[in-house]
Amino acid sequence: MSHVDTFRPGAGELPARDAIPARYRWDLSSICASWDEWNRLYQQLDASINAFTSFQGTLAAGAATLLAAFRAMDDMGALSYRVWYYAALQYDEDQRNNQANARRQQVQILFARQQQASSWFNPELLAIPLERVREWMAADQGLALYRFAVESLFHEQEHVLDESGERLLSYSGRFNSVPQESYSALTTADMRFPTISLASGERVTLTYGQYRALLETNRQQGDRAAAYRSFHQTYADNQNTYAALYNGVLQRDWFHARARGYASTLDAALHGNKIPTSVVENLIAVTRQGVEPLRRYHRLRRRVLALDTYRLFDVFVPLVAHDAKYPYDEVGTWIVDSVAPLGSTYQRRVREAFEGRWIDVFENAGKKSGAYSAPVYGTHPYMLLNYNETLDAVFTLSHEMGHSMHTWLSHEAQPFVYAGYTIFVAEVPSTLSEALFLDLMLERVETSRERAVLLQHAIDSIASTFYTQVMFADFELQAHRLVEQDEPVTADRLNAIYAGLLREYYGNVIDEEEISRLTWARIPHFFSTPYYVYQYATCFASTAKLMQDLRSQDSATRGDGVERYLSLLRAGGSDYPMDLLSRAGVDLSQPDTVRAVASELDMLVGRLESELASA
Ligand SMILES: [Zn+2]
């Protein structure tokens, strides 16, 4: 079977975009037929933004005007997806395209105006007594649709201050981001990356990318050690500055929590999504009890790599050398096959994504790096990849497909106001999609060697997406508690917390390395988005729990699990994430849910051990 228009990425120069056959490039005509149509939509959005101000001052008049304002806001929102993505996706195809870039910026300017033009809406709605809005919603079916939106807005309101309090807090907006911006300047603009000599005599400058690649591929432990130590030394050299900046983050968070009347910084971070603090505390406590499979994996690695000392710079090298290529044209059918457990309708949709040109597959000159799924309301989602035929690239495709199906099912089932979903559930479908794909691949590949490669991939992703993120959440919580308890925050204190965590999670399985205690200084999330990373871990636990039913031998359990899972996807953002998950059978406040990850890891490490024995 030969395709005239087949294509595979090669080494060397990047192809120009038009050298890649059309079927590997996304077809954006379902968003807009042309720039002419885009112009018309842009004008329409512009006009509806201007028109929206006419609702100001009318909300309290009654159910009818409130409903009309809600609907006008939805129409504006739906339109803005198409106007934004038509320009943004074309810009990402080739970021040297100045015309697309200019139009994309034009939309950003319009969005800023849209925000100003609707900023009166929430305060005006919140000024109406909630009881009255509830009566309106009970009497008016159209308005009843907005019940969750209204209730959650009033819920957030619980910690909003009076006008003078809010004005005072708003003045702090200008310096809230100073610690984070200073961190970013120090680690990018002002960063001096070290250069080291490898055993081969080659000199390497350790940019982030080079450093990471070296730990993942270099088989000389001495090279890895040199890279790790020099890289971390650059942070050690400025550790007191990093500690002072992080103290700025902690003090800011505590200032805002206290100003708004929260008991702790964690309470403040979780209130919006109505997540009980016990979820994070439970996550950390249960994970600490479930570190044995993680240690088992590292003991296995130390043995297989035949290393006398085994340190944090040894945890990324592959156990089995493997350079198989996965041509895109073959992988598509595997991805479609892998979702069979989710039913034929779901499967047909995944096929449609491949055949309907939703995916921009290969790298070309000027294209944005990385991968994403773009939730374009009003049509189907689009996916950007830089597919390079590695195993990582295949799993990335499966991951983005999970996001896209979530978007599609949610957009189809929900009204605009609930079509989007929060990060707290977003990584469930993507990781579940990867888990299904792993199951299929383990069945299909023929040698123990290949199975070992797959198992290591899955295990590493549990180690990095679950255990490491929980450890990070653990660190953030302990650090925030220092300021909450009026304790000083110094580099020594932060180093001591981190060193303690490394012992807690790895025991004596990974040999201690003095400089590892500084790791906190190189994690940008700590400085930019406090209390964020735990959500990767809760998503991962939810997936592990859901997969237990999906893998069940009992067909009724399986069928029920699939139905609950698909309902979760269709529910979009129509309720609080904890409620959505609990209807899908996942209770994150229960230790069992978190334990599902440790059991899965244990099962995978056991399999890896036996595959390696026969490889
Ligand atoms: Zn994702």
Side-chain angles (χ1 to χ4, degrees):
M1 198 175 77
S2 77
H3 291 284
V4 187
D5 60 349
T6 200
F7 178 88
R8 290 184 64 184
E13 215 166 293
L14 282 181
R17 191 168 173 77
D18 54 13
I20 297 173
R23 67 192 187 88
Y24 302 106
R25 289 182 271 139
W26 55 27
D27 170 11
L28 301 180
S29 65
S30 82
I31 308 177
C32 284
S34 63
W35 282 114
D36 281 344
E37 191 190 358
W38 179 85
N39 262 317
R40 277 197 301 281
L41 294 181
Y42 183 94
Q43 300 304 334
Q44 202 182 321
L45 179 58
D46 192 23
S48 58
I49 290 170
N50 292 333
F52 191 68
T53 45
S54 68
F55 289 99
Q56 189 166 4
T58 69
L59 301 191
T65 48
L66 180 58
L67 178 59
F70 263 127
R71 285 182 173 160
M73 196 142 75
D74 285 356
D75 290 344
M76 218 161 45
L79 199 53
S80 62
Y81 272 85
R82 292 173 64 196
V83 172
W84 166 252
Y85 278 115
Y86 192 68
L89 297 184
Q90 292 200 52
Y91 172 65
D92 288 349
E93 286 174 0
D94 185 347
Q95 298 189 331
R96 299 166 306 180
N97 181 341
N98 275 231
Q99 189 201 34
N101 191 12
R103 284 168 168 160
R104 182 178 144 275
Q105 291 184 32
Q106 206 181 320
V107 183
Q108 285 171 328
I109 294 163
L110 191 61
F111 282 177
R113 256 191 48 222
Q114 180 181 0
Q115 225 176 10
Q116 281 162 23
S118 49
S119 64
W120 57 269
F121 184 88
N122 286 353
E124 190 173 319
L125 175 54
L126 288 165
I128 310 170
L130 177 58
E131 274 318 310
R132 191 173 309 155
V133 186
R134 282 181 177 151
E135 280 164 26
W136 293 349
M137 292 189 294
D140 187 319
Q141 261 207 324
L143 195 61
L145 176 81
Y146 295 91
R147 183 168 288 124
F148 176 66
V150 169
E151 294 286 349
S152 53
L153 182 67
F154 275 89
H155 170 73
E156 275 175 55
Q157 171 72 5
E158 287 168 16
H159 291 270
V160 172
L161 307 180
D162 63 13
E163 206 194 320
S164 69
E166 283 298 319
R167 186 168 352 105
L168 200 56
L169 276 190
S170 76
Y171 295 152
S172 75
R174 298 197 187 181
F175 58 77
N176 279 334
S177 56
V178 171
Q180 170 198 342
E181 277 158 18
S182 313
Y183 178 82
S184 159
L186 192 57
T187 53
T188 52
D190 294 346
M191 187 68 156
R192 278 190 302 275
F193 295 109
T195 300
I196 57 163
S197 296
L198 304 180
S200 63
E202 191 193 339
R203 304 267 299 160
V204 181
T205 297
L206 298 170
T207 60
Y208 297 109
Q210 288 288 349
Y211 167 70
R212 188 76 204 171
L214 198 149
L215 290 197
E216 282 170 9
T217 57
N218 193 306
R219 297 234 159 236
Q220 302 288 331
Q221 192 185 34
D223 285 349
R224 295 196 300 269
Y228 183 88
R229 287 168 188 152
S230 319
F231 190 72
H232 284 76
Q233 189 57 47
T234 53
Y235 290 90
D237 290 343
N238 293 315
Q239 58 178 306
N240 298 304
T241 308
Y242 286 115
L245 292 175
Y246 194 46
N247 191 23
V249 171
L250 302 173
Q251 299 293 350
R252 175 204 62 197
D253 291 353
W254 186 218
F255 162 73
H256 282 277
R258 283 201 290 186
R260 294 196 177 282
Y262 291 102
S264 70
T265 51
L266 184 63
D267 277 279
L270 302 186
H271 180 263
N273 270 334
K274 222 178 180 174
I275 293 160
T277 51
S278 60
V279 166
V280 175
E281 288 154 356
N282 172 54
L283 174 74
I284 291 172
V286 179
T287 305
R288 280 171 169 233
Q289 290 158 15
V291 290
E292 183 42 37
L294 182 68
R295 295 181 183 183
R296 182 182 172 194
Y297 173 56
H298 287 295
R299 277 194 295 268
L300 173 68
R301 288 184 57 87
R302 181 197 284 253
R303 205 165 65 234
V304 173
L305 293 169
L307 294 171
D308 292 334
T309 59
Y310 178 75
R311 296 207 156 89
L312 278 173
F313 43 78
D314 298 317
V315 306
F316 301 110
V317 228
L319 294 175
V320 176
H322 181 70
D323 50 7
K325 295 269 182 231
Y326 300 88
Y328 182 77
D329 285 336
E330 285 171 31
V331 165
T333 55
W334 301 346
I335 302 260
V336 173
D337 293 348
S338 73
V339 297
L342 298 178
S344 56
T345 313
Y346 187 101
Q347 202 174 17
R348 184 167 42 73
R349 289 172 169 224
V350 172
R351 194 175 295 120
E352 203 175 319
F354 282 104
E355 288 168 2
R357 294 179 56 199
W358 300 13
I359 311 174
D360 207 70
V361 181
F362 296 113
E363 192 177 13
N364 58 251
K367 183 170 165 177
K368 185 185 171 70
S369 61
Y372 63 67
S373 164
V376 191
Y377 193 84
T379 173
H380 55 74
Y382 284 87
M383 282 160 273
L384 177 137
L385 306 174
N386 280 277
Y387 192 82
N388 61 3
E389 303 194 337
T390 60
L391 189 62
D392 271 345
V394 189
F395 276 95
T396 300
L397 169 55
S398 166
H399 182 104
E400 298 308 334
M401 189 61 81
H403 283 311
S404 295
M405 290 300 124
H406 188 191
T407 297
W408 206 23
L409 289 166
S410 161
H411 283 191
E412 185 184 64
Q414 295 297 324
F416 178 79
V417 60
Y418 307 131
Y421 41 79
T422 70
I423 158 86
F424 200 81
V425 287
E427 295 301 334
V428 175
S430 51
T431 49
L432 190 131
S433 183
E434 287 191 67
L436 288 174
F437 186 69
L438 174 75
D439 284 357
L440 176 101
M441 291 289 282
L442 283 173
E443 249 169 62
R444 285 207 177 160
V445 298
E446 281 164 1
T447 65
S448 286
R449 222 182 149 70
E450 283 175 280
R451 276 191 293 276
V453 171
L454 286 164
L455 288 162
Q456 192 195 327
H457 180 95
I459 291 167
D460 286 344
S461 107
I462 296 182
S464 65
T465 329
F466 184 79
Y467 285 94
T468 304
Q469 304 305 328
V470 176
M471 199 171 86
F472 286 171
D474 206 335
F475 176 82
E476 289 192 286
L477 193 56
Q478 292 189 48
H480 278 86
R481 282 183 178 161
L482 286 182
V483 304
E484 290 170 11
Q485 290 156 6
D486 288 335
E487 299 272 334
V489 176
T490 60
D492 282 350
R493 279 307 274 277
L494 297 171
N495 290 344
I497 294 176
Y498 207 86
L501 285 169
L502 288 172
R503 272 193 300 274
E504 191 84 41
Y505 284 71
Y506 297 111
N508 58 2
V509 171
I510 293 182
D511 296 319
E512 265 192 55
E513 170 84 18
E514 181 68 21
I515 210 160
S516 294
R517 62 187 57 211
L518 271 150
T519 305
W520 59 269
R522 65 165 184 82
I523 307 301
H525 276 116
F526 292 160
F527 296 83
S528 61
T529 46
Y531 291 129
Y532 183 88
V533 296
Y534 81 93
Q535 300 178 100
Y536 295 118
T538 47
C539 283
F540 216 88
S542 307
T543 295
K545 181 75 182 154
L546 288 160
M547 283 302 290
Q548 287 181 338
D549 285 347
L550 263 52
R551 285 178 181 138
S552 166
Q553 297 301 314
D554 174 52
S555 70
T557 308
R558 227 167 36 236
D560 182 51
V562 169
E563 215 18 76
R564 279 184 279 113
Y565 173 64
L566 294 178
S567 305
L568 170 69
L569 304 196
R570 282 192 290 263
S574 60
D575 207 339
Y576 288 113
M578 289 290 286
D579 297 328
L580 294 176
L581 285 168
S582 104
R583 287 204 288 279
V586 177
D587 183 350
L588 283 165
S589 63
Q590 286 305 309
D592 260 3
T593 309
V594 180
R595 271 185 212 124
V597 184
S599 340
E600 179 164 342
L601 180 58
D602 200 49
M603 181 267 288
L604 292 169
V605 176
R607 285 193 70 176
L608 178 61
E609 234 160 17
S610 62
E611 296 295 350
L612 286 171
S614 45

